[in-house]
Amino acid sequence: MIPFEMKRLGMIMQPLKGEANEAEGVLNPAAIRGKDGELYLFPRLVAKGNYSRIGIARVLFDAQGDPRDVERMGVALEPKADYELRADGGGGCEDPRISYVEALDQYVMTYTALSTRGPRIAIAVSDDLFHWKRLGLATFRPYHGIDFEGIDDKDASLFSALVPDPMGRPTLGLIHRPLFPGTRPEETIHQPASKPLDTDRECIWISYCRLGNGGDKPQLGEFVEHHKLTCPEAIWERLKIGGGAPPILCQHGWLMIYHGVGDMAYPSPSGRKMRYSAGAMILSQGHPNRILYRSPEPILVPDSPLELEGAVDAVVFPTGIDRRDDIGQPDRFDVYYGMADDRIGVARLDVPEVLPPSSP
């Protein structure tokens, strides 16, 4: 058996016929347990013209405890702020991830805000998952001559607990993937597989924010310290890697399901030549800038019809994860993912009792 192998449970959400907000797809959801113990999804709802909102839906389970359907509950966020709007009337609130951050005693949503400036990381907070307050765009200090401001940035998620920065100080850690010029998969696919890596600009990063005092609650501020977590290593992820579902604690440390982009042996029916797959990492609980394990092969690849053909062919894109404490299975995780940028699927991962040897 392949360590960290995932078992598909099926499609759980697809565009509702006649629903204008979902005309071009339902995909890439956040997943989080509410204080009521229910599991909520926050899917990206795509209307005509690639205009994206963030919806909210409650997951319905069958008698065996498997997710089987959703109950739609409206829209959590839609483009309103200037950093979410384009001059042509378009814009987007896209691809959310949500963590319950213990130090803030709040749910924190990181999402991609799409405006004329391009994709940027935006942040919103909530006490109850149903009412959200925008905090604006994440801001970053430069790092050794690397300037994050003005750079497209995506795939962001927060650790639920404070983690040490490179100096050992407790901070709020953010996983993100800056898209420096030349590092998009559409650009790197034209480069040879043997090209040298730019280990500053082709990485998943962890950036750190020291919480400030803001009245009765700590406040998020600027991300002031940074660490290069990892770059593409395997062939299946050579074109790009990026964050997936938020890091979540398992018995071995922080489990992070991420995505990688690689070449396809044969083009898809639409002529697409690259595919998005999912991999697994385990980060040290005490020092999450240390990788304890990384899957040498993808744990989920697009190979079902709903993953191979859609709005964007050959895509599985993990964004939500649910540890099944509710059924007494803390080593079981349900991963919610986008299927071909069209629909939402769920797959199950049972974390092995013994951590496999780390990949070279």
Side-chain angles (χ1 to χ4, degrees):
M1 181 177 176
I2 301 171
F4 291 92
E5 187 175 26
M6 298 186 75
K7 175 187 176 183
R8 287 172 174 80
L9 301 181
M11 182 183 67
I12 195 167
M13 194 172 183
Q14 62 181 327
L16 193 62
K17 188 174 181 180
E19 175 53 62
N21 286 351
E22 304 177 14
E24 294 187 3
V26 172
L27 59 148
N28 302 357
I32 190 77
R33 291 277 170 174
K35 294 178 181 178
D36 57 4
E38 300 281 359
L39 179 65
Y40 295 93
L41 294 188
F42 290 77
R44 174 181 168 186
L45 313 176
V46 188
K48 186 177 180 180
N50 194 34
Y51 188 86
S52 295
R53 298 169 173 85
I54 295 171
I56 180 170
R58 184 169 65 94
V59 177
L60 306 176
F61 295 86
D62 63 20
Q64 288 71 47
D66 295 335
R68 61 172 175 84
D69 204 350
V70 298
E71 175 191 357
R72 286 167 168 80
M73 304 183 74
V75 173
L77 281 181
E78 58 182 318
K80 289 183 178 178
D82 61 349
Y83 52 82
E84 300 165 347
L85 296 167
R86 299 196 305 262
D88 61 4
C93 300
E94 304 178 352
D95 299 354
R97 281 83 162 179
I98 298 175
S99 301
Y100 181 77
V101 178
E102 298 168 359
L104 298 175
D105 191 25
Q106 282 184 313
Y107 298 98
V108 184
M109 178 193 294
T110 52
Y111 63 99
T112 299
L114 184 62
S115 72
T116 53
R117 287 176 281 180
R120 298 290 190 275
I121 298 168
I123 301 175
V125 296
S126 175
D127 294 320
D128 61 5
L129 291 177
F130 294 94
H131 303 88
W132 292 90
K133 176 185 176 182
R134 289 171 169 83
L135 299 186
L137 296 180
T139 57
F140 303 88
R141 284 189 190 171
Y143 170 83
H144 294 181
I146 298 174
D147 193 354
F148 297 97
E149 294 300 319
I151 297 296
D152 292 351
D153 210 341
K154 301 180 75 172
D155 305 326
S157 62
L158 288 164
F159 290 84
S160 57
L162 296 183
V163 296
D165 69 6
M167 300 296 292
R169 297 167 294 200
T171 61
L172 190 61
L174 177 80
I175 299 286
H176 62 121
R177 202 327 188 156
L179 294 168
F180 293 101
T183 66
R184 285 177 171 79
E186 295 81 2
E187 298 166 316
T188 54
I189 196 170
H190 301 295
Q191 300 171 356
S194 59
K195 73 175 181 67
L197 279 175
D198 185 334
T199 56
D200 282 336
R201 290 175 172 79
E202 296 190 41
C203 292
I204 297 174
W205 289 74
I206 303 179
S207 292
Y208 304 91
C209 168
R210 296 193 291 273
L211 296 179
N213 293 320
D216 60 340
K217 282 187 177 180
Q219 296 293 312
L220 274 167
E222 185 179 35
F223 290 88
V224 298
E225 302 287 345
H226 314 282
H227 174 81
K228 294 174 287 185
L229 180 61
T230 189
C231 289
E233 290 183 0
I235 293 296
W236 67 270
E237 59 186 16
R238 82 164 188 95
L239 299 178
K240 178 183 173 284
I241 56 171
I248 189 169
L249 283 173
C250 71
Q251 61 176 310
H252 304 298
W254 292 102
L255 169 65
M256 190 172 83
I257 307 299
Y258 71 105
H259 77 269
V261 188
D263 308 87
M264 293 181 68
Y266 302 99
S268 73
S270 68
R272 186 171 168 84
K273 298 180 180 179
M274 54 189 176
R275 72 177 188 181
Y276 280 65
S277 303
M281 291 186 200
I282 300 290
L283 311 178
S284 166
Q285 181 174 350
H287 300 280
N289 58 353
R290 290 177 48 213
I291 299 173
L292 303 181
Y293 172 79
R294 179 173 181 168
S295 55
E297 300 293 335
I299 61 172
L300 189 69
V301 300
D303 60 12
S304 75
L306 296 181
E307 298 162 352
L308 289 170
E309 295 186 43
V312 181
D313 292 348
V315 171
V316 296
F317 195 78
T319 48
I321 192 165
D322 178 37
R323 187 176 59 211
R324 297 306 307 271
D325 298 318
D326 61 307
I327 56 173
Q329 297 280 349
D331 295 322
R332 172 167 289 179
F333 296 84
D334 291 344
V335 177
Y336 294 82
Y337 65 97
M339 309 170 83
D341 275 15
D342 237 357
R343 313 162 189 89
I344 294 171
V346 56
R348 177 158 292 162
L349 171 66
D350 289 307
V351 173
E353 186 173 338
V354 178
L355 194 64
S358 182
S359 57

